[in-house]
Amino acid sequence: MVFLLLAAGYITTVNLIGGGIAMLLAHPRQLDLLRSDPALLPGAVEEFVRYDGPVSPGIARFAREDVEIAGVRVPRGATVLIGSALADRDPARFPDPDRLDITRRDSAHLAFGHGIHYCLGAPLARLEGEIAIGTALRRLPGLALAVPPDEVPWRPGGLRGPESLPVTFVPGG
């Protein structure tokens, strides 16, 4: 239970916040848009988890019975990886899915799961992301990456976020 609370309730939110700030700093037009209209923040958080969320590539499930998916036989008991991160970049589902767009109107992504497996902490993660990212942008108006975006080190594996986020800023604005 402690591991679940740490992994699902803390690490993912830290990665959402760090990743969201990294995405904004790597996309200056989106950053400027959000700074000019802070009311976009809830939609921006939804776009961060859709575009490059903290749980990647997806969630493991087990087939309860023999089933065929897209012409592939999956035997009972086999592990199936649900690629929610891939689904959230599906061009049949999201127009221009590889573009970060904090004004995207359709935010029905799978980053928090679906159905009975929907993340219990999703409302709290959203709120924490909005508060932390909004506070950082208000208090650090000169916030910028100290390295090119492709030099920001990201954690490998299933819980995705920046290992560190080298930034510059002027305290107090």
Side-chain angles (χ1 to χ4, degrees), residues 156-170:
L159 295 176
R160 183 161 164 72
E163 285 182 349
S164 64
L165 191 54
V167 297
T168 60
F169 62 91
V170 178

Side-chain angles (χ1 to χ4, degrees), residues 67-144:
V67 64
E68 187 173 310
I69 301 173
V72 176
R73 184 183 169 279
V74 178
R76 180 177 182 256
T79 303
V80 177
L81 183 63
I82 309 300
S84 58
L86 298 171
D88 288 341
R89 290 288 189 100
D90 183 353
R93 176 66 187 86
F94 294 98
D96 202 6
D98 295 330
R99 181 175 56 90
L100 181 70
D101 179 5
I102 65 167
T103 65
R104 192 178 298 273
R105 294 286 181 232
D106 182 2
S107 63
H109 54 73
L110 297 176
F112 287 117
H114 183 72
I116 64 168
H117 296 287
Y118 189 76
C119 176
L120 183 62
L124 179 59
R126 286 179 172 113
L127 183 61
E128 289 174 323
E130 290 175 29
I131 291 169
I133 293 168
T135 300
L137 295 181
R138 272 192 321 278
R139 292 187 179 174
L140 304 170
L143 187 64

